[in-house]
Amino acid sequence: MKVQKIFVMAALMLIPSVSFAQKVNILTEKTASNREQYAAEYLQKKLNRLGFPTVVNGKKGEYRISLSQAKDTAGLKKEGFSWTRKGKKIQLQGNDGSGVIYGCNEIAEYVAQHGSLNVPLMQEDAPEMVLRGACVGLQKTVYLPGHQVYEYPYTPENFPWFYDKEQWIQYLDMLVDNKMNSLYLWNGHPFASLVKLKDYPFALEVDEATFKKNEEMFSFLTREADRRGIFVIQMFYNIILSKPFADHYGLKTQDRHRPITPLISDYTRKSVAAFIEKYPNVGLLVCLGEAMNTYEDDVEWMTKTIIPGVKDGLKALGRTDEPPVLLRAHDTDCKMVMEAALPLYKNLYTMHKYNGESLTTYQPRGPWTKIHTDLAALGSTHISNVHILANLEPFRWSSPSFVQKAVTAMHDVHHANALHLYPQASYWDWPYTADKLPGGKREKQLDRDWMWYKTWGRYAWNCRRDVAAEGNYWDKVLADYYATDAAVADSIRKAYDESGEIAPKLLRRFGITEGNRQTLLLGMFMSQLVNPYKYTIYPGFYESCGPEGEKLIEYVEKEWKHQPHVGELPLDIVAQTEAHGDKAVAAIDAVASRVTGNQDEFRRLQNDMHCYRAFAYAFGWKVKAAQHVLNYKWSKDIKELDAAVPLLEKSLEYYRQLVDLTKDTYLYANSMQTAQRRIPIGGDGGNMKHWSELLPKYEQELANLKKNIAMLKAQAAGTYKMKAEDIKPLKDATQQTGAFQMENINGEANFKTVKIAKGAKLFNDLDSVVTDFAPELAGMNAYVMNSSKQRGASTSLIFTTKKPVQLLIGYFRDDQMKYAKAPKLETDATANDYGQAEPQLTSAIRIDGMPQVNIHKYEFAAGKHTLLLPKGFLLVLGATGDKITARDAGLSGADKAIDWLFY
């Protein structure tokens, strides 16, 4: 403590001597723009904090910094700047108003690093990326009553922080500090909170007082952002309707499978037009996926609703320019949409996720890379979106080395030239983090994750910096933050870099998906490691989100078949991540006693390093156990299962450490606390979000393994008699008088049913017949469909049920366009609204000449319902009130999966 006081006093004593010796006068032109004036204010504040008394347009000053904006901008790069210094006179010129701001930022950075205003005699710089921005989600961790995903009106009750002007100023200044020029606001349907429509006055989703607050806040935000050279971009999903509008017309606020109608198009077009007219300095980010039906619908919606709406708004203002409209590639054929839209509107940008909804690699490749390069080749600016970060929640993550290489890959591999950055964690809980502080206090993301924004902002401006020099830069930044020396800071940086590899490597080699369907740092079940296909591995994930390599199940099979291995191998990755954890903890623990500033935050960072290490070992020992279980699949040698048990016990020891490290330090692991999350387990009702909740589940899988090993040994010894599997047919709800009634299929009240049996025809226009089926389906009444109609339009069902019921829908396991796509949470946020996300019976029906079928259940309460299903061939196999036991019916002819050992 005495050393700390001496350090602080010495620092304070230094400031006056520097300050009185080096007073600064910042001079602006009489015709200075708003941005030049802000630049002067910004530099004044920065220099004052650094101990240099500074005035703007004063009469005296030992140092004089003159700010101006280039009059002739021919050949000058936007947002660039240059300066010359002669003695203590600095002449800074920006290529535009933003360039003046960034030049002042660079001077302040230099002073912070070197403690001197003797900047280089000449300097010239400009950004590599044309857009460099971060996003804030006006969204919540849970659904609002009566609303679906993404539907969050702008109200003080939902988002009290939105109305906090001081906090917005802090956020905007943070963007300037990191040379960022764009702010994205994400919301499903913002228009009904921000504009009124003459033709649809009832569509407004907030009361009059709130509407006026929203107008005032949005105007304030865009005005303050513009002063700082920051462009505000409002994101929205399609097709989502305001709840009052939907209720007025008896519609759903969103339904992925409904067609575009003139009414819905007119409402949306007029909403966009009113927004453009009212907020002319705001851009739009359009997400066509998730709530739209087909790629053809995406094209029609963009060209006949969105772009006409923008043009209507511009026409009302008498404008001939085109504000930027950004098109998101998520869940659409962005290239197809752009090719149709560019002839109508030129100022279009494209955006695609960097590693999906996680951060996995700085070596991207595969089909997702081709999406980037195809979009970049269109000639408009292509934006790389560092999205959600589902695998990094909730621990601190800010590896300068990883980020620099990732941004370089954005340029060199994806050909992107802009960055859109999500918060590092807790996106759904903005502005708070998941940290559990004493007294129920909440930590702010801006305070905790300052380095996250600083790393991405620095390399979005220029990723081609010298690596060795960058190490020195970050050591100085960390030394200042933690009030310590460069050697201590170097260890902290190394801890960041070492821990920064753990989650990316583990997810890209063992994950089911890169999306927020999976929360990696809660772990994975053994069943997910030994039979990942059961959980629907997201297509393209392994081919795109990391170097070439093998899944664990592939690695073991190759070992048994004596085949050569390729690329990254599972057990190597386990060893690497354990080593990363050891090095991170060693580095941070070694300097803990020498940190004298921001000590509470340091202790939280130190705890995170221990969390990462415990997780790496818990995961690693589980992978080693899974290897032996997969060996048993090939060898049928029970000794392999015996070998797995102590390894799984070791995994649990480390997982218990993780529980101890997080029980008093974290409120949750994942900020999306809804039924959308499925891996390692469903997040229904906001449950299973903390390690302490998962621990009993992992203990149970070990107990189940031991029980099943004992059963196998007893069976081998002849002391256990296996019971024949007794699978009873499900009771058909239509056979229970008045319990369930299908009223209409695809607009027709006349339709046929057929009992599921061998030889049954489930399509009236195809000759294919059922050749085999799961015993659960015996005697169920299936509805005879018309494949031609299904291929041309969504399947629509209207039915009434007097009791809770499960509708059984069969999806063909084939990627051809003619087959309907099964529910997929990565691209459809509503894909579990009826509990339909995972198949209940896999390989459950064989139909001659057609792919295998997985059956999903859609759950409905008593009442009348309308269900729209995706376009393409699918089966409607009846309804039941019985509980369905999820299983593989085994009609694929493949080897039986080994995951039964854990149930």
Side-chain angles (χ1 to χ4, degrees), residues 262-278:
L263 173 66
I264 290 173
S265 177
D266 186 65
Y267 165 69
T268 306
R269 177 173 176 169
K270 286 174 177 171
S271 296
V272 171
F275 182 82
I276 291 292
E277 184 177 356
K278 189 167 188 177

Side-chain angles (χ1 to χ4, degrees), residues 199 278 368 676:
D199 293 343
K278 189 167 188 177
W368 294 1
Q676 282 175 263

Side-chain angles (χ1 to χ4, degrees), residues 276 279-282 311 313-324:
I276 291 292
Y279 303 106
N281 295 320
V282 181
K311 288 186 171 182
L314 295 173
K315 184 177 180 181
L317 293 170
R319 288 172 59 179
T320 57
D321 64 315
E322 293 181 341

